[in-house]
Amino acid sequence: MRRIDVTGPGGLRLAAWEFADPPKDGTGRGPRADERDRAARGGPGAAGADAERPAQGVLLLHGLMGRAAHWADTARWLSARYRAVGLDQRGHGRSDKPLDACYDREAYVADAEAAIEQLELAPLALIGHSMGALTAWQLAARRPDLVQALVVCDMRASALGEQSQREWENWFASWPVPFATLADVRRWFGEDDPKLERPRPSRGEFFAEVMTEGPDGWRPVFAPETMLRARETWVHDAHWDELAQVQCPTLVVRGIDGELGRAEAQEMVRVLPRGIYAEVPDAGHLVHYDQPAGWRRVVEPFLQAAMPSGA
């Protein structure tokens, strides 16, 4: 996995991660120095101008509090067929996190658009989880020229409302930070969190990946206040109109125990001009993380049908 920095609106530095070894040229030495320089800048040719690559790209967009590394398992099998790139979205992962930056829907969509254009990924497939799925379908509606296929994972199109936002504020306030060890992180998010109906070790692992160690223990790499600001910009609105504007084939995936109910997911498929429904048994909200094999079983054939030249 290698990092390629891209530039979002306002000059914000965003960390993109390519989940494959850089392609080798005929000498076996890999990309030339000038190509490496372009990759570091995230400019045109960052992928290697004369490198042999699958024709199509896939951009992976994590959800709120996530990071591109959460897609590692998915990216491993995608990379055999496509150019798989994950983006640490603003305020997350290794990307910039200025407290005074804009964290609204326009900013997140513009960041994804900038990454696609600077990394020359289009036409591509967008795969988004939760908040990243909303970003993906908003971008697909806005720029159909860029997006050839779309996967929406466990994100609702309905408005969630003020009560939902207050619940999140209370949930963040309940975190027993700092955590003494990563084992404590895994235990709290995987077993002890009152939000859990039953233990989910995968959820503990998910949150362990977004913690960093400081002098007093382990804290999230993101600012909870920033997460609430980002969430505030979508929870009060429904997003059905934008969903209806998506023209490309779209797979709507839900975990059986996730946040997206079956009835709403099927209505999303009905609203989409080219929607397809799938669900993954024994998965919660973190579908691709909870049940990676089940996730692959529904996503891989969809991409092969929607992007056949990626074979």
Side-chain angles (χ1 to χ4, degrees):
M1 184 170 73
R2 62 169 179 151
R3 173 174 173 166
I4 309 171
D5 283 350
V6 299
T7 305
L12 208 69
R13 183 182 54 84
L14 304 170
W17 302 89
E18 186 161 10
F19 291 90
D21 293 332
K24 296 182 181 298
D25 61 17
T27 68
R29 291 192 299 267
R32 300 186 305 268
D34 61 328
E35 293 168 355
R36 291 196 300 272
D37 290 342
R38 285 197 298 271
R41 295 194 299 270
D50 59 358
E52 293 183 5
R53 285 191 179 277
Q56 293 152 304
V58 177
L59 183 64
L60 300 148
L61 298 174
H62 61 73
L64 194 71
M65 304 179 293
R67 63 187 306 171
H70 284 143
W71 292 110
D73 184 86
T74 297
R76 271 192 288 271
W77 56 263
L78 282 173
S79 294
R81 186 179 294 263
Y82 309 103
R83 183 184 175 199
V85 176
L87 181 68
D88 280 341
Q89 297 175 81
R90 60 175 56 208
H92 297 77
R94 298 288 184 88
S95 290
D96 286 348
K97 307 173 183 66
L99 294 177
D100 59 351
C102 183
Y103 291 96
D104 62 11
R105 287 286 79 218
E106 286 294 321
Y108 281 103
V109 173
D111 286 346
E113 184 177 7
I116 291 167
E117 292 183 333
Q118 291 172 36
L119 299 177
E120 299 180 335
L121 291 171
L124 83 166
L126 280 176
I127 300 179
H129 170 249
S130 196
M131 178 191 76
L134 177 58
T135 300
W137 89 59
Q138 289 178 324
L139 178 54
R142 175 186 298 182
R143 293 290 308 272
D145 57 309
L146 297 181
V147 185
Q148 188 173 357
L150 174 65
V151 178
V152 171
C153 180
D154 219 65
M155 180 62 186
R156 299 183 61 184
S158 298
L160 303 180
E162 182 60 34
Q163 178 61 31
S164 170
Q165 189 72 354
R166 285 198 298 269
E167 290 172 357
W168 271 69
E169 291 172 1
N170 293 335
W171 179 56
F172 276 128
S174 75
W175 290 17
V177 291
F179 294 93
T181 67
L182 278 180
D184 292 329
V185 173
R186 295 184 181 97
R187 185 179 307 110
W188 197 83
F189 287 101
E191 301 175 21
D192 298 340
D193 183 352
K195 286 186 67 172
L196 285 171
E197 295 182 357
R198 60 185 176 90
R200 283 201 175 274
S202 60
R203 187 173 182 265
E205 293 295 339
F206 181 95
F207 279 96
E209 287 199 44
V210 294
M211 296 289 161
T212 186
E213 188 175 20
D216 60 349
W218 293 85
R219 295 178 180 271
V221 298
F222 51 79
E225 298 82 2
T226 298
M227 301 298 100
L228 288 170
R229 282 176 56 200
R231 194 174 186 274
E232 181 79 27
T233 67
W234 87 72
V235 296
H236 303 292
D237 301 314
H239 305 281
W240 295 98
D241 289 348
E242 293 156 309
L243 199 66
Q245 295 169 29
V246 175
Q247 297 302 311
C248 65
T250 302
L251 179 68
V252 177
V253 184
R254 62 177 290 268
I256 291 293
D257 299 319
E259 296 178 6
L260 176 61
R262 179 179 285 120
E264 183 170 352
Q266 291 176 341
E267 179 63 12
M268 290 168 68
V269 169
R270 190 193 68 78
V271 166
L272 283 157
R274 302 172 69 185
I276 300 170
Y277 174 79
E279 57 187 30
V280 178
D282 300 318
H285 178 57
L286 308 174
V287 182
H288 58 295
Y289 216 78
D290 281 345
Q291 297 294 334
W295 162 255
R296 180 176 182 176
R297 277 194 295 271
V298 299
V299 173
E300 189 171 35
F302 166 77
L303 291 178
Q304 290 176 6
M307 304 171 66
S309 61

